[in-house]
């Protein structure tokens, strides 16, 4: 992918993401006194289950006279946003005092639905002129010790405090009146009147800075201190480790080179030992080379995707509540980078003297998409069964399938054809012997699984503090905006992964075990398995998620993300090991 193409891709995606963010009906956010300002009700759901959200009017609230659904961008739909016009009217600069929305008699079933929502800590979310509003729908009074004595109340009066600067809305806060309550404890019909109050106040905050208050929550001084402390801690650990490994490897290799050079001079028929001894086997192609090349292709594509996402994040495209921008970017960039997967996978497969490149290309296309698609089908079915907003409408699924067939697949095939025609040769400094040498018996800790455990632990320890913040933002209601810190952590992760894989590959070759290809990939990718183990810890120890839908969403999508990490870091590990192995065998004379 040339530089101009990469720049074009970035511009296109940035434009899409910014265009995809919610616009208030095409207006420029300027209003005259008495103008109606768009207020959309988005969703309700249990506070501790961020994936389990329902449409606002799934609860028996007062419906507005004319229900208007807002057209949404792809990313917003993927994010589970379903905006409809709210029953409140907040006209520009018009104060209102205890205005009635509607009077309503709640049936026993409706009382039970509201009560069940209050028990589960439901919150509501709305957007007023594209500014988010949150609030809880009710409260539980736990005066009695016994749960049967608990009382359940619904809030019926909302106070909106709106701040304006000249002709623009700057900030909005919603408070529920703690005294205006409806008792839902008993199963009986209840008469309720829903009310709202609006107060307008002037502020000097400029319109350009109105989103700042949402992004500041994640960069509060004490949070930043924790972040920087964790990063410095990781950096020091990493530098010490990499320095330590580099020193050992350099000294050991230097000694090896001196010894091997000396051996050549003495030229006696003595038995060779160590990694030089297996020079005739070290570049023997791995088993299952089609799968290996496909994994490298997918890993390279995911690595490119991550870099592009970081560039967009650092440029400032993903500001808080730019709803669905991240999802739009992921879908579009994944589709546009599939050519990279096709090219890398096929060219490497052809270098390994593979013949069936078409099958290899299909495998590359399905290696990450296949499991992701199956997971999505299962989770979408669960969401449909729950009638949650996470269930994608048919139209959106059609759009995604069209992107896959019209963009992803053709680019994958073009990349594959280019890779096949690249005619690159695999550069091995040593000739491979005809028959493989037998691997001597090795102790248990030199097996694949113990080595993967060793390899994954160090990179994971470098990122684990940052993981908590990311999880709290993806699977909670925290906002994460410190992308620069995240980028530094990502670079550290790559360096540690490369170094640890190189070190383990050296020790493996020194033990005369020449099957390093798959081992280096698995060792590099093992951090993905550690992240999945962290998911289990986070779910049980750090979060209050519950219910089948939220649990399946959490573990299903995290499995896909960790698998993506496995492929990406495996590719990084193998590339580092390949450079290293080529370098050391180039430095000695191979017969």
């Amino acid at each position: 992918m040339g530089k101009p193409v990469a720049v074009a891709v970035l511009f296109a995606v940035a434009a899409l993401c910014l265009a995809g963010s919610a616009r208030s009906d095409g207006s420029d956010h300027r209003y005259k006194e008495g103008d109606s300002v768009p207020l959309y009700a988005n969703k309700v759901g249990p506070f501790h289950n961020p994936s389990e959200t329902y449409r606002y009017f799934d609860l028996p609230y007062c419906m507005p006279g004319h229900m208007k659904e807002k057209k949404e961008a792809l990313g917003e739909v993927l994010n589970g946003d379903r905006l409809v016009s709210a029953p409140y009217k907040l006209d520009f600069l018009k104060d209102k005092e205890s205005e009635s929305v509607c009077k309503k008699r709640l049936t026993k079933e409706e009382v039970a639905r509201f009560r069940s929502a209050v028990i589960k800590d439901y919150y509501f979310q709305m957007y007023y002129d594209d500014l988010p509003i949150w609030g809880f729908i009710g409260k539980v009074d736990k005066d009695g010790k016994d749960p049967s004595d608990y009382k359940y109340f619904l809030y019926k009066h909302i106070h909106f405090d709106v701040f304006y600067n000249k002709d623009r809305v700057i900030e909005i806060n919603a408070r529920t009146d703690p005294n205006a309550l409806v008792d839902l404890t008993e199963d009986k019909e209840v008469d309720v009147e829903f009310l709202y109050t609006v107060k307008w106040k002037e502020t000097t905050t400029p319109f350009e800075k109105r989103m700042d208050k949402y992004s500041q929550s994640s960069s509060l001084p004490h949070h930043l201190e924790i972040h920087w402390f964790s990063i410095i801690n990781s950096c020091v650990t990493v530098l010490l480790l990499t320095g330590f490994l580099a020193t050992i490897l350099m000294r050991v290799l230097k000694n090896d080179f001196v010894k091997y050079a000396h051996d050549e001079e003495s030229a006696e028929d003595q038995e060779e030992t160590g990694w030089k001894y297996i020079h005739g086997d070290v570049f023997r192609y791995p088993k299952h080379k089609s799968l290996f090349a496909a994994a490298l292709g997918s890993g390279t594509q995911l690595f490119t995707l991550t870099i592009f996402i970081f560039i967009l994040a650092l440029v400032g495209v993903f500001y808080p509540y730019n709803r669905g921008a991240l999802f739009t970017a992921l879908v579009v960039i994944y589709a546009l980078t599939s050519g990279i997967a096709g090219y890398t996978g096929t060219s490497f497969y052809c270098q390994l003297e593979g013949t069936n490149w078409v099958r290899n290309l299909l495998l590359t296309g399905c290696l990450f998409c296949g499991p992701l698609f199956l997971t999505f089908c299962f989770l979408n079915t669960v969401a449909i069964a729950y009638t949650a907003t996470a269930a994608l409408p048919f139209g959106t699924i059609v759009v995604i399938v069209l992107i896959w067939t019209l963009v992803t697949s053709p680019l994958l095939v073009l990349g594959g054809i280019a890779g096949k025609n690249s005619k690159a040769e695999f550069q091995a400094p040593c000739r491979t012997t005809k028959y493989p040498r037998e691997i001597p018996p090795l102790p248990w800790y030199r097996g694949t699984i113990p080595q993967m455990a060793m390899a994954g632990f160090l990179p994971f320890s470098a990122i684990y503090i940052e993981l908590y913040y990311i999880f709290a933002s993806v699977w909670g209601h925290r906002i994460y905006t410190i992308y620069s810190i995240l980028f530094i952590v990502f670079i550290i992760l790559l360096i540690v992964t490369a170094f640890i894989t190189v070190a383990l590959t050296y020790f493996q070759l020194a033990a005369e075990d020449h099957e390093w290809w798959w081992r280096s990939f698995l060792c590099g990718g093992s951090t993905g398995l550690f992240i999945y183990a962290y998911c289990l810890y986070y779910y049980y120890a750090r979060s209050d998620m519950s219910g089948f839908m939220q649990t399946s969403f959490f573990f299903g999508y995290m499995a896909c993300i960790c698998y993506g990490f496995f492929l990406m870091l495996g590719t990084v590990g193998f590339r580092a090991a390949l450079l290293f192995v080529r370098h050391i065998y180039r430095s000695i004379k191979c017969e």
Side-chain angles (χ1 to χ4, degrees), residues 159-174:
H159 291 261
F160 293 103
D161 294 320
V162 196
F163 295 86
Y164 69 97
N165 185 352
K166 298 188 180 109
D167 57 353
R168 290 175 179 254
V169 177
I170 303 299
E171 187 181 334
I172 178 162
N173 295 317

Side-chain angles (χ1 to χ4, degrees), residues 176-375:
T176 40
D177 186 341
N179 302 318
L181 301 168
V182 183
D183 193 336
L184 304 170
T185 315
E186 293 168 28
D187 268 330
K188 60 175 189 188
E189 293 192 352
V190 178
D191 285 318
V192 55
E193 182 178 15
F194 288 101
L195 307 164
Y196 67 107
T197 297
V198 187
K199 291 269 184 285
W200 286 84
K201 298 168 185 171
E202 199 162 1
T203 176
T204 53
T205 310
F207 179 77
E208 292 67 37
K209 294 225 167 104
R210 70 177 192 157
M211 281 295 180
D212 287 2
K213 82 165 199 177
Y214 303 107
S215 53
Q216 277 159 2
S217 61
S218 71
S219 46
L220 291 170
H222 65 275
H223 279 314
L224 272 177
E225 274 173 26
I226 296 170
H227 282 288
W228 281 114
F229 179 73
S230 77
I231 279 194
I232 291 164
N233 185 18
S234 301
C235 276
V236 171
T237 320
V238 169
L239 287 172
L240 283 174
L241 271 169
T242 43
F244 177 64
L245 282 173
T247 320
I248 290 182
L249 283 178
M250 290 303 170
R251 288 188 64 173
V252 171
L253 280 171
K254 204 172 172 187
N255 292 345
D256 286 352
F257 290 146
V258 168
K259 186 167 136 248
Y260 292 146
H262 182 69
D263 288 352
E264 276 161 15
E265 281 164 23
S266 54
E268 291 161 18
D269 288 337
Q270 61 187 34
E271 188 70 8
E272 288 181 328
T273 54
W275 52 266
K276 188 189 176 189
Y277 178 54
I278 52 169
H279 65 75
D281 291 285
V282 82
F283 292 105
R284 188 178 304 286
Y285 299 143
K287 294 173 184 146
H288 316 298
K289 53 187 171 191
S290 181
L291 180 62
F292 190 77
L296 273 186
S298 294
T300 311
Q301 178 186 3
L302 292 168
F303 179 69
T304 317
L305 169 72
T306 312
I307 295 294
F308 273 148
I309 289 289
F310 268 122
I311 293 171
L312 288 177
L314 293 169
V315 167
V317 173
F318 306 129
Y319 56 86
Y321 298 108
N322 179 1
R323 290 197 305 279
L326 179 63
F327 287 105
T328 309
L330 282 170
V331 170
V332 174
I333 298 177
Y334 185 82
L336 293 176
T337 51
S338 60
I340 294 174
Y343 178 81
T344 315
T346 311
S347 69
F348 198 79
Y349 180 66
C350 292
Q351 282 179 35
L352 299 182
E353 294 167 13
T355 46
N356 195 344
W357 69 276
V358 177
R359 193 189 68 179
N360 173 253
L361 193 60
L362 285 171
L363 189 58
T364 309
C366 300
L367 198 63
F368 182 70
C369 273
L372 184 65
F373 178 70
L374 292 173
T375 311

Side-chain angles (χ1 to χ4, degrees), residues 548-569:
F548 178 70
M549 178 181 160
Q550 181 62 43
T551 307
S552 54
F553 261 71
F554 179 72
F555 286 111
Y557 281 129
M558 280 316 299
C560 291
I561 291 169
C562 294
Y563 174 55
F565 260 91
F566 175 79
L567 291 172
M568 178 174 79
L569 294 173

